[in-house]
Amino acid sequence: MEYFAKKIIPTMLQLMIVPVIVLMITVPLSWLAIGPVMNTVSSWLSTAVVSIFGFSPILGGILFGAFWQLMVLLGLHSAFIPVLLNNLFTMGYDPINAILGLTVWALAGVSLGYAIKMKDPEKRSLGFGNMASCLCGVTEPTIYSIALPQIKCFVAAWIGGGIAGGILGALGGKMYSLGGDGLFRIPAMINPNGIDVSFYGFIITALIALVVSAIITYFAADPEK
């Protein structure tokens, strides 16, 4: 829309008029057309993936562990939230959300591998800073500054998260309370009846996600980009 608006609006007026026209068209279009379509797609995706997890926690763990952050990036994650909350409040635990926490550690590994690979001080600082952000539960800096510009690094997170997710799914890991991500997810994995495999399994698989993603990113990252 911006491209076409600049074609028809004089240069001296573009700074003020183009943003107004673009927003007037794209905002209603997003609400009325794109929004409902994406909501339907996310609902279908939620139903399909939850069914797969019910059929095989290992396969579900691989899928969730690998591609959850991609679904978040595309805005397809919203349909999962009611499912995740319903599991927690009705059963007292949620095996799916236990897997999702591993994707944050995979992106932390991407940041670590990137930082170790880079020789430029600014890029290295970016990597370590993003890793700290991921460990506090915020993955967007890594996604937008490392993973998307170098898609191989995003693939590294998919692989690390998928492997870790499959293992935790096989172990039967569960999340027992609402919590943050990264390091703050660990307390949510404590069973109220006593620490069990969910707690130890999550810590082990989180480290697997981090290490695998970091190693792959180290070899895949391009220092020139």
Side-chain angles (χ1 to χ4, degrees), residues 34-96:
I34 300 174
V37 170
M38 295 306 291
N39 186 57
T40 300
V41 172
S42 63
S43 296
W44 290 346
L45 186 60
S46 173
T47 301
V49 176
V50 170
S51 298
I52 292 173
F53 194 93
F55 171 74
S56 171
I58 298 176
L59 180 59
I62 293 172
L63 291 176
F64 270 101
F67 301 118
W68 174 249
Q69 291 292 335
L70 180 60
M71 288 188 279
V72 172
L73 179 65
L74 296 175
L76 299 175
H77 65 295
S78 57
F80 289 88
I81 296 175
V83 176
L84 303 179
L85 292 177
N86 182 68
N87 288 343
L88 188 61
F89 294 142
T90 58
M91 298 187 298
Y93 59 84
D94 182 16
I96 300 177

Side-chain angles (χ1 to χ4, degrees), residues 113-124 126 145-146 149-153 216-225:
Y114 178 89
I116 296 174
K117 179 69 173 286
M118 297 299 121
K119 299 186 183 302
D120 181 86
E122 290 187 6
K123 292 181 178 179
R124 177 167 290 191
L126 173 70
S145 64
I146 299 176
Q150 298 200 40
I151 196 63
K152 291 181 180 179
C153 295
I216 297 175
T217 299
Y218 178 82
F219 289 104
D222 185 354
E224 302 301 323
K225 291 186 178 180

Side-chain angles (χ1 to χ4, degrees), residues 176-201:
Y176 292 96
S177 63
L178 291 175
D181 273 315
L183 292 169
F184 303 107
R185 174 60 61 93
I186 296 175
M189 306 301 294
I190 298 176
N191 188 333
N193 297 320
I195 293 178
D196 58 13
V197 70
S198 294
F199 180 77
Y200 298 116

